[in-house]
Amino acid sequence: MSRVAYLISEYPAASHTFIRREIAALRRRGIEIVPFSVKRPALPPEDDGIRIEHILGRRFDTYLWATLAALLRRPCCFLSTWRLSLAHRQAGLRGLLWAQFHFVEAMLFAQLLRRIGAGRVHNHFANSGATVGMLAANYLSLPWSLTLHGISETDHPAGGLLPGKILRADFVACASWFMRAQAMRFVDQQHWAKIMVVRCGIDFSALPPFEPNCRAGEQAIQFICIGRLSAEKGYSGLLRSFAALVAEGTKAELTIVGDGPLRRQIEDAIYDLALTEQVRLLGALSEQATLNEISRADALVLPSLMEGLPVVLMEAMALGKPVIASCVAGIPELVHDGVTGLLFRPSDWGHLEERMRMLADDRSLRTSLADAGSVAVATEFAIDSAVEPLARFFAERRGVNRV
């Protein structure tokens, strides 16, 4: 089987550990995956000891010579790909300018693809990196496929270009049934058959040892929330709910793991709500450190206003922790209210407070939700079974190196 090139906006990255797990699981099945990063990664740019090539952040002459070489090597494909870049872009002068950047990046990426003898290009996320991957695949006459994760890929600016990407892809993987439905509404039903659900998964062997919740009844319940500190994650509402819970006399503590543009605002809210003794804001942590924090907590809370199907929910459930999450997007496919976790109405912070109080007051509920949740994750979201549809597709649709 020829090599499959994976192009990710940033790889490796702390927020993209699920992609690393997917790549490792596919390699165990004998599929040769070579990852590439659009940005220069902040983490050590290595994959199994091999340096990961990045596209941005190189010298100007690197892009110049790659573009000229692409023109001389395949002039007809060069021109057709340039026309595609002009057609597949945002409106206005800014969109026109960025289309030229994406085209040049694609010519450099095509050069890197030729070096490894790639037979297929696959992108995670329908962002500008997917535009670069699609253009490079078009230039080299390679098959191209795509994985969709969350509703942000249907919003502006990515959403305006999503129909064109779905039409050009020969396979579209969706992390949830919800996301599959969103992709289907962008295209005619003749294209629906190539849009399939491929779960993100977790590696149970990499999880820290299970730590049962055995705190004494008078000890504070330990909640944890993990995610980027940005508006769509709902932290302001979580802090309001948590403050009301504490004000009622419930002994509770909250740990927040993550970083982002709203950090200062969240710090101010913690101070204004007089929660400095009850809330820890740890910032971004490594994958293992984050898993260790989940293992030490009693329950995970996810207050998001917008999501896909968060891997952190799977990790918490696999670690035997009950979860509370907003009923948005693909979350109800994993969290069945009252069975494998608790759901609350999105943006209804009073409802979230009620759910948190339920877990704080009822140890037997925490235990039953945790037990059912761990079984649910093991059944559908273990990484080696989760990648089966993707592995089967790559095996059946072997990319032929025609470069």
Side-chain angles (χ1 to χ4, degrees), residues 91-385:
L93 290 177
R94 179 181 173 85
L96 180 62
L97 177 63
W98 279 101
Q100 308 312 303
F101 291 149
H102 292 154
F103 174 74
V104 171
E105 292 165 22
M107 294 304 97
L108 174 60
F109 184 41
Q111 183 180 83
L112 299 176
L113 292 171
R114 288 188 67 257
R115 289 179 185 172
I116 67 165
R120 166 178 291 277
V121 179
H122 185 82
N123 275 94
H124 270 270
F125 304 103
N127 51 21
S128 58
T131 299
V132 173
M134 181 187 72
L135 293 175
N138 182 82
Y139 170 76
L140 294 174
S141 303
L142 293 177
W144 177 72
S145 48
L146 174 68
T147 294
L148 301 177
H149 291 273
I151 199 68
S152 62
E153 292 163 278
T154 66
D155 286 351
H156 180 80
L161 301 180
L162 184 57
K165 287 184 171 69
I166 295 174
L167 293 177
R168 296 194 68 86
D170 67 345
F171 175 77
V172 179
C174 300
S176 67
W177 289 99
F178 171 84
M179 200 60 211
R180 182 175 188 255
Q182 302 314 300
M184 289 168 68
R185 69 185 175 90
F186 279 97
V187 294
D188 292 335
Q189 65 181 31
Q190 61 181 313
H191 299 284
W192 288 1
K194 68 180 179 182
I195 306 173
M196 301 180 64
V197 174
V198 179
R199 299 296 198 188
C200 295
I202 60 174
D203 183 359
F204 281 79
S205 66
L207 297 177
F210 174 72
E211 292 189 16
N213 298 327
C214 54
R215 305 180 200 279
E218 67 274 6
Q219 285 188 301
I221 182 173
Q222 304 289 326
F223 290 106
I224 188 168
C225 182
I226 298 169
R228 188 167 185 264
L229 306 186
S230 51
E232 75 277 5
K233 297 300 183 180
Y235 282 105
S236 295
L238 169 63
L239 291 173
R240 286 168 52 190
S241 300
F242 184 74
L245 187 72
V246 172
E248 292 174 355
T250 299
K251 293 184 177 180
E253 296 177 357
L254 173 64
T255 297
I256 297 175
V257 177
D259 212 338
L262 295 188
R263 182 182 180 109
R264 177 59 63 85
Q265 181 179 320
I266 292 171
E267 289 174 338
D268 291 343
I270 292 171
Y271 179 81
D272 292 341
L273 292 168
L275 294 174
T276 54
E277 296 297 319
Q278 291 86 9
V279 178
R280 294 190 305 155
L281 187 57
L282 299 185
L285 299 178
S286 68
E287 176 186 4
Q288 194 58 49
T290 299
L291 292 172
N292 290 338
E293 288 293 335
I294 296 174
S295 183
R296 286 190 285 265
D298 293 308
L300 180 133
V301 184
L302 199 73
S304 301
L305 304 173
M306 178 181 73
E307 274 294 351
L309 183 51
V311 174
V312 69
L313 280 177
M314 306 173 200
E315 293 171 335
M317 294 165 73
L319 285 167
K321 307 300 175 180
V323 300
I324 304 172
S326 52
C327 189
V328 296
I331 289 177
E333 298 173 29
L334 174 63
V335 181
H336 304 291
D337 190 35
V339 180
T340 61
L342 296 178
L343 297 174
F344 73 95
R345 293 182 292 270
S347 79
D348 187 341
W349 309 121
H351 196 202
L352 173 57
E353 178 197 347
E354 173 191 316
R355 296 305 205 181
M356 295 174 74
R357 188 186 309 111
M358 287 175 62
L359 286 192
D361 293 345
D362 193 338
R363 181 182 298 273
S364 63
L365 176 63
R366 299 207 300 263
T367 300
S368 65
L369 294 177
D371 290 344
S374 62
V375 171
V377 171
T379 300
E380 189 174 2
F381 295 92
I383 185 60
D384 284 307
S385 58

